[in-house]
Amino acid sequence: MRTAVFIAALFIAVTVLGAGCTGESRPPPEEAVLQEAVARINGELASVRASAGESARVLGEAGLTSTAGERAVRQAMLNHPYTESTLVVTKDGIVAMAVPDSYAGTVGSDISSHLETGRSIRKQVPLVSEVFPLAEGYAGVAQSYPVFGEGGEYLGFVSIAYRPETLIGRTVAPLANGTAYDIWVTQTDGVVIYDTTPEEIGKNLFSDPAYRSPALQEAFSRIAAESSGSLTYSFWDTDWARTVTKEAVWGTAGIDGTEWRVVVTRSQDAEETAA
């Protein structure tokens, strides 16, 4: 009987201790949101890369202007309905295919002088571009994947373009909805490519008049320079009604040569008001 009681007591002690350790190992709520946001963004980028890779495989086997290749390109865009356009470009920088049909007028164009075209041809690896003005008329991101023929000859690349705020928003917006957290994402050059406050998207943290204060510049310089960290800064609330103090934690998302700083913020003032 004593043995049974001892075993039961030991089991309870171990259970309580284990629960306590589990609680202590959990990251703070804002860190958990950040980690999930980074994982979701990377997962979506990897999914686009996989679709582009499958298109490249078919184009390499069937030819850059083949019907089979076009079907593969269209399927890749169906896999990611937020994508705006896909170009198939030869190793000389000539557009060989453009999807959807509204972009057919770009076929035959020489885009070899474009920075991202040159980068794709030179490196011949999967790449994620920085935001740049696309010929289609909007600022977007292009994910490219090299195309090789059956003999291993480099033929060109396939490039899927989209608005970064759409890709990011569909993955991270649910993490902030209904919470005290805001999420924004910036390139290391300061261009904001996503924000739960939409009017912030497209601004540059280092040149926009709204961010000129020395304290903000110091905070944003740290975020751009360091892959992860935490700090506090003062800025307008989401209604632009008053200045609030924000706690921020950030990390880095990105694959294939890109770094996006993912920032999760919470207003200290909102917490004090709630208390």
Side-chain angles (χ1 to χ4, degrees):
M1 183 68 176
R2 287 182 179 179
T3 301
V5 171
F6 174 76
I7 292 173
L10 181 62
F11 174 78
I12 293 171
V14 170
T15 302
V16 171
L17 180 61
C21 291
T22 301
E24 291 174 3
S25 66
R26 291 176 182 170
E30 62 273 15
E31 287 284 354
V33 172
L34 173 62
Q35 291 174 14
E36 182 64 20
V38 169
R40 289 187 181 193
I41 293 170
N42 284 342
E44 192 65 23
L45 288 171
S47 181
V48 174
R49 177 178 61 188
S51 292
E54 175 59 17
S55 296
R57 182 191 67 79
V58 177
L59 289 162
E61 293 176 353
L64 298 186
T65 60
S66 63
T67 301
E70 182 179 346
R71 282 199 300 266
V73 165
R74 291 184 182 278
Q75 182 58 54
M77 294 188 69
L78 288 174
N79 293 344
H80 311 281
Y82 52 85
T83 55
E84 299 270 353
S85 63
T86 298
L87 299 182
V88 178
V89 182
T90 72
K91 62 183 180 181
D92 298 317
I94 307 300
V95 178
M97 181 189 299
V99 175
D101 294 340
S102 55
Y103 294 95
T106 63
V107 174
S109 301
D110 185 345
I111 59 172
S112 59
S113 62
H114 294 187
L115 178 64
E116 292 301 330
T117 300
R119 184 168 169 248
S120 295
I121 292 173
R122 184 174 64 256
K123 295 198 171 185
Q124 299 179 17
V125 295
L127 293 170
V128 180
S129 77
E130 291 191 340
V131 172
F132 67 101
L134 283 88
E136 293 87 336
Y138 65 93
V141 163
Q143 277 188 250
S144 64
Y145 204 99
V147 179
F148 296 97
E150 293 184 343
E153 176 192 2
Y154 177 69
L155 303 179
F157 64 92
V158 57
S159 178
I160 300 178
Y162 52 82
R163 302 173 196 266
E165 65 267 28
T166 307
L167 177 145
I168 297 169
R170 71 193 305 271
T171 62
V172 306
L175 298 175
N177 290 343
T179 75
Y181 298 110
D182 287 316
I183 301 174
W184 51 274
V185 183
T186 179
Q187 296 183 149
T188 56
D189 64 0
V191 175
V192 178
I193 59 175
Y194 173 77
D195 199 309
T196 45
T197 305
E199 55 264 36
E200 298 296 297
I201 297 171
K203 292 182 178 180
N204 190 298
L205 300 175
F206 302 122
S207 62
D208 192 276
Y211 309 133
R212 282 181 178 170
S213 78
L216 275 180
Q217 287 300 299
E218 181 180 354
F220 295 156
S221 293
R222 273 197 61 195
I223 291 171
E226 301 173 18
S227 61
S228 62
S230 62
L231 51 74
T232 60
Y233 65 93
S234 296
F235 195 61
W236 295 102
D237 63 11
T238 54
D239 296 322
W240 293 84
R242 62 191 180 100
T243 302
V244 296
T245 300
K246 296 191 176 187
E247 298 175 341
V249 295
W250 75 90
T252 300
I255 65 171
D256 299 335
T258 193
E259 290 187 18
W260 292 346
R261 299 291 191 255
V262 183
V263 187
V264 176
T265 67
R266 179 186 176 94
S267 170
Q268 288 181 346
D269 306 64
E271 185 176 336
E272 291 169 2
T273 302

